[in-house]
Amino acid sequence: MPYTEFEQSLNETFFSATPGFVEIKEKDALLQCEGLDQAYIKEMFKSGVRMDAGREEAGAVCYFPIVQEMKVVSVLLLRPKQGEKEGFARDIQYLKLLSELACQWVAEKLERETWQKMFGEIHLETRKLIQSITEPFCLVDQDGLIQEMNEHMASLFRKRRTTLMGEKIMQYITKEKWESIKSRNEKDEMVVQVPGNQGEAYFATIQPVKSKQGIVSYMILLKSKKTEKPEQAGRRLYHFEDILGVSEILKQTIQSAKRVSKSDVTIMLRGESGTGKEMFAQAIHHESDRKDQPFVALNCAAIPENLLESELFGYEKGAFTGAEKEKTGRFELANHGTLFLDEIGDMSLYLQAKILRVLQEKTLERIGSNKSRKIDVRIITATHRNLEELIRKGEFREDLYYRISVIPIYIPPLRARKEDLSVLIEHFTRKYSKDLNKHPKRLAAETLDRLMQYDWPGNIRELQNVVRHFVELEIGDTVTLESLPSSLQTGSKSLPPSVKKSARTNHCQTRLDKRQVLELLERNGRSTEGKKKTAADLGISLATLYRYLEPLPKCYIP
């Protein structure tokens, strides 16, 4: 090991103003030097101890061992400069102290160089290993600094790997996502979005790297690109800002939904068909901490009973005739995200029992498999049916009801928030005019008045259809009564005759309407003034409201 640089540095700094100078030599070089005490040198390398007794006379050479890993690796020789023997003898104690410090300095330098060489070799091997990983990979320390990265990851960030080293990872992923990564104490799976690559999302494995002091860094491995599920393809999930309306009852409903969005509590959305229950479910998901995870929806009433089980739980290959390959169920598709079960009141008791078990144990088994799979899913359900009545009839499990309705949220019908009609009509008119490449139309006063008087039994879904109807058919710039559907041209304020007949014969629907009335009473208060406001919200008289309450069980009467 060459010591020339060490000698030069010591003589130029430590010993420049002294009568002495130093040399550093290894054992073989020392044993070849004339005028040195060879026996003493051999003993020093053997024992590692400096014994200078009797060697401090003027002009003598002083020997100082340089120790590394408890072994003498070389010796520092302290000599007098030419013509400085007297000064050397005079300052010998100071020079010895200086030499001992010089030996420590050299030993530390040697140790650092050894570690740097070793680290360099390890780093080179680590780099080779990292570059051999076919998936995008990076190593990030606790402060968010990129320590290492392979070329695959650098290409996603659209920069050179050397440029990215030492940069903050938060320049390439969101602060919220980095905080989510830092919250992991064990290996976990999550979705990571890469803004530098058109915002593409990837399924990632996060592995904390631990030492005795705790987590020192995080390995991030992007496994596969996240593709939209069939339920989400071609559509954008709604936010609370997309729910249009100015009525107080709608604002209160939105505030209630926002308050419970952040928690993982199960939510039941109640309300008539067409009120926008799935829109609320999507908005709750978007407001939650699971917003970067999947949102999966399933309408339980739209799928035949014999297919619903496989849709929910999936199946293994060969589980039944026709099962030529395995299928992932909706629960698994929604893992770490939100599963929205619409019209859950139409589900059979058999499937209700299986759903309850999943909610309780947070595991499921595919059809044809005895292997339990862990899942972490937030459940939001919705129904237009009176579940309490179904429970009394034995058609809905009471234990499941209490599991899924921890937080019930009532979505008001359109007739209870007539103030929102003009906002919604304008929005849908602009939307469908743009979709159909037509100029936006304005509504004649009598047309708008007719729409405001109507009770909208089909709620927002019916309103959308009506607006599309007159945007398609109206030739002029003003929408007249003749452009409305025939059921709205008669001036009827309430349901069309066929719907009225259906409502009279549908006991469950009547029960549901009355429960909605009670929920409005809870909002407006149970005083006479509160009941008047509830009647006004529903577009009925106070006497009609009292008639609605008469058939209810006493426990329901406010």
Side-chain angles (χ1 to χ4, degrees):
M1 185 179 293
Y3 291 97
T4 307
E5 291 182 8
F6 291 159
E7 289 177 2
Q8 183 178 350
S9 181
L10 288 170
N11 287 319
E12 288 179 355
T13 55
F14 281 53
F15 295 92
S16 61
T18 71
F21 75 98
V22 295
E23 294 177 283
I24 302 173
K25 296 185 181 296
E26 294 178 284
K27 185 177 181 179
D28 291 343
L30 285 167
L31 294 177
Q32 294 174 12
C33 290
E34 296 181 2
L36 297 180
D37 190 335
Q38 301 294 343
Y40 180 71
I41 291 170
K42 289 177 182 179
E43 181 64 27
M44 183 179 290
F45 272 97
K46 182 178 179 181
S47 65
V49 179
R50 176 176 174 272
M51 299 170 291
D52 249 354
R55 298 178 181 278
E56 299 177 7
E57 65 276 9
V61 178
C62 296
Y63 304 80
F64 297 87
I66 296 173
V67 181
Q68 191 177 10
E69 295 182 1
M70 301 181 70
K71 280 180 61 178
V72 178
V73 294
S74 55
V75 173
L76 182 142
L77 303 174
L78 173 63
R79 301 175 186 270
K81 292 178 181 176
Q82 189 172 2
E84 294 283 357
K85 287 185 180 181
E86 291 183 6
F88 183 84
R90 183 186 66 246
D91 297 338
I92 189 64
Q93 294 303 323
Y94 170 70
L95 290 168
K96 283 183 178 182
L97 177 62
L98 207 57
S99 297
E100 288 174 356
L101 292 172
C103 287
Q104 292 179 21
W105 180 79
V106 172
E108 289 175 3
K109 284 278 189 181
L110 290 173
E111 186 175 7
R112 189 176 296 111
E113 286 188 357
T114 302
W115 276 106
Q116 285 176 345
K117 182 181 178 182
M118 187 184 302
F119 178 78
E121 291 172 353
I122 294 172
H123 185 65
L124 184 61
E125 292 301 316
T126 304
R127 275 197 59 192
K128 288 179 181 177
L129 176 63
I130 289 173
Q131 295 305 324
S132 69
I133 298 173
T134 55
E135 293 89 357
F137 172 89
C138 67
L139 186 67
V140 184
D141 69 13
Q142 276 279 54
D143 297 322
L145 296 176
I146 300 171
Q147 296 175 306
E148 192 50 83
M149 174 181 288
N150 64 7
E151 295 293 347
H152 299 289
M153 182 72 89
S155 66
L156 290 183
F157 291 161
R158 304 294 176 86
K159 283 191 177 183
R160 291 181 179 274
R161 176 189 160 278
T162 51
T163 304
L164 290 162
M165 300 295 289
E167 288 197 359
K168 285 272 190 182
I169 192 68
M170 282 185 290
Q171 295 182 40
Y172 306 99
I173 64 174
T174 64
K175 181 180 178 182
E176 292 75 18
K177 184 59 68 177
W178 170 238
E179 292 299 327
S180 179
I181 290 172
K182 287 179 67 178
S183 68
R184 266 61 176 178
N185 292 319
E186 302 295 338
K187 184 178 178 180
D188 200 3
E189 307 287 325
M190 65 187 300
V191 175
V192 174
Q193 201 165 18
V194 183
N197 203 41
Q198 288 83 46
E200 291 179 335
Y202 290 79
F203 292 106
T205 298
I206 310 299
Q207 175 69 67
V209 180
K210 299 179 180 180
S211 69
K212 292 181 180 180
Q213 289 72 36
I215 296 173
V216 294
S217 56
Y218 298 88
M219 292 191 295
I220 304 172
L221 178 70
L222 305 185
K223 296 196 299 183
S224 60
K225 190 181 294 186
K226 180 187 175 187
T227 56
E228 286 187 323
K229 306 299 181 189
E231 298 83 0
Q232 293 174 234
R235 69 175 182 179
R236 180 183 70 88
L237 295 183
Y238 289 105
H239 297 223
F240 280 114
E241 292 75 16
D242 299 317
I243 301 174
L244 302 178
V246 294
S247 64
E248 196 59 36
I249 189 171
L250 181 65
K251 289 179 182 178
Q252 290 174 7
T253 305
I254 291 173
Q255 286 306 313
S256 297
K258 279 186 175 181
R259 281 197 295 271
V260 297
S261 292
K262 292 293 183 183
S263 70
D264 272 349
V265 66
T266 54
I267 296 173
M268 178 183 286
L269 302 173
R270 308 205 53 170
E272 299 174 9
S273 295
T275 50
K277 293 187 286 294
E278 183 169 350
M279 194 174 186
F280 266 86
Q282 292 181 15
I284 290 169
H285 172 76
H286 250 300
E287 194 81 6
S288 74
D289 294 333
R290 297 173 181 259
K291 61 184 177 182
D292 295 325
Q293 305 297 335
F295 175 88
V296 178
L298 180 67
N299 189 322
C300 302
I303 298 176
E305 179 65 30
N306 59 335
L307 297 179
L308 186 56
E309 182 178 9
S310 62
E311 279 295 321
L312 284 167
F313 302 102
Y315 53 79
E316 296 293 340
K317 181 179 178 181
F320 49 82
T321 304
E324 297 179 356
K325 61 180 180 178
E326 68 175 26
K327 174 183 174 64
T328 303
R330 303 298 178 101
F331 270 104
E332 287 184 75
L333 290 175
N335 200 19
H336 301 298
T338 302
L339 176 62
F340 174 57
L341 298 176
D342 198 6
E343 302 300 354
I344 195 169
D346 292 87
M347 185 180 290
S348 70
L349 289 169
Y350 166 72
L351 284 181
Q352 289 175 33
K354 293 198 69 171
I355 295 285
L356 179 63
R357 183 180 177 187
V358 172
L359 294 180
Q360 289 174 334
E361 299 182 8
K362 298 189 183 301
T363 60
L364 62 80
E365 294 176 5
R366 289 182 178 179
I367 299 173
S369 172
N370 57 6
K371 177 185 176 183
S372 293
R373 300 169 184 267
K374 291 190 69 174
I375 58 161
D376 171 25
V377 176
R378 185 194 194 168
I379 301 294
I380 300 177
T381 61
T383 183
H384 74 282
R385 303 188 67 182
N386 187 340
L387 295 186
E388 294 79 9
E389 180 68 21
L390 294 179
I391 290 171
R392 285 192 286 273
K393 290 180 176 180
E395 297 175 8
F396 200 87
R397 293 181 64 105
E398 188 173 10
D399 46 6
L400 178 60
Y401 171 80
Y402 289 117
R403 275 278 180 179
I404 63 177
S405 63
V406 176
I407 302 292
I409 295 177
Y410 169 64
I411 313 298
L414 196 52
R415 64 180 175 275
R417 52 187 186 104
K418 290 285 187 73
E419 311 97 293
D420 298 334
L421 268 172
S422 57
V423 176
L424 292 167
I425 291 169
E426 181 181 359
H427 169 74
F428 291 132
T429 301
R430 289 182 179 277
K431 178 182 184 303
Y432 292 128
S433 296
K434 183 179 179 181
D435 292 347
L436 298 169
N437 198 26
K438 294 188 175 186
H439 292 295
K441 306 176 187 299
R442 67 179 185 87
L443 274 67
E446 60 177 351
T447 306
L448 180 59
D449 185 56
R450 182 66 53 85
L451 295 177
M452 294 294 289
Q453 290 176 10
Y454 187 58
D455 277 344
W456 298 103
N459 293 293
I460 296 174
R461 189 179 294 122
E462 183 184 9
L463 176 63
Q464 286 179 289
N465 292 337
V466 168
V467 173
R468 180 157 193 143
H469 181 94
F470 66 63
V471 169
E472 287 264 20
L473 295 182
E474 183 58 62
I475 299 174
D477 293 331
T478 303
V479 179
T480 62
L481 287 175
E482 287 73 22
S483 296
L484 297 179
S486 57
S487 60
L488 282 164
Q489 292 181 21
T490 61
S492 172
K493 281 188 169 186
S494 56
L495 309 181
S498 61
V499 179
K500 285 183 179 179
K501 181 178 179 182
S502 173
R504 283 195 300 270
T505 58
N506 189 336
H507 180 70
C508 290
Q509 181 64 45
T510 304
R511 285 281 187 177
L512 178 61
D513 288 343
K514 290 177 179 178
R515 182 163 185 81
Q516 292 167 356
V517 170
L518 289 174
E519 290 179 358
L520 280 173
L521 283 170
E522 288 296 323
R523 294 178 182 276
N524 296 330
R526 300 182 179 187
S527 64
T528 303
E529 289 302 317
K531 290 174 181 176
K532 286 180 179 178
K533 188 175 188 309
T534 298
D537 288 340
L538 293 169
I540 60 176
S541 68
L542 185 59
T544 302
L545 175 62
Y546 279 113
R547 282 197 298 273
Y548 262 65
L549 299 176
E550 284 175 6
L552 291 177
K554 289 186 178 179
C555 59
Y556 278 176
I557 298 176

